[in-house]
Amino acid sequence: MRCQHDIIFRDLARDHVDTAALTTMRTMIADLAARGAEGVVLGCTELAMLLPADGEELPCRVWDSAEVHSEAGVDFAFGGEGAAEETLRGFPPPLAEMGLSTSPDDP
């Protein structure tokens, strides 16, 4: 099985998505869920290209880091709490327990 590094730098960074990459990523997510993961963070913005667009269910919750950062940036820029906070709610462990906040008003 190919590793994430190869998928990111040999394929996705060059706008190439193939069936093998899709299968590999879905297998990795399924394996993590089978071992007890409640969610997976796609820590590279290109990895979201491998998310199912056809409504296919994944075995656990998946966060797209580009989407989370974009929503947080908009919330921060406009001083409101919205989609970014909702996206992060329930993320294990809760941000509050880690001493972090998504609110621009918190130091």
Side-chain angles (χ1 to χ4, degrees):
M1 179 166 34
R2 297 172 57 200
C3 72
Q4 290 174 2
H5 182 272
D6 289 345
I7 292 171
I8 293 166
F9 291 102
R10 292 185 186 165
D11 296 334
L12 301 180
R14 296 183 174 115
D15 290 328
H16 176 75
V17 178
D18 64 14
T19 305
L22 293 166
T23 301
T24 298
M25 187 55 59
R26 290 177 184 168
T27 300
M28 287 179 188
I29 292 170
D31 289 347
L32 290 167
R35 294 189 326 211
E38 295 178 19
V40 173
V41 175
L42 301 179
C44 174
T45 55
E46 282 84 4
L47 289 174
M49 294 166 53
L50 299 175
L51 289 177
D54 56 6
E56 175 188 336
E57 290 291 321
L58 294 170
C60 63
R61 187 165 179 192
V62 176
W63 287 272
D64 170 6
S65 62
E67 182 180 331
V68 172
H69 282 100
S70 298
E71 290 173 354
V74 169
D75 285 349
F76 180 80
F78 291 99
E81 295 181 11
E85 184 174 309
E86 181 63 33
T87 299
L88 293 173
R89 187 171 300 144
F91 181 84
L95 293 176
E97 288 180 16
M98 296 171 44
L100 301 173
S101 173
T102 59
S103 172
D105 299 327
D106 290 342

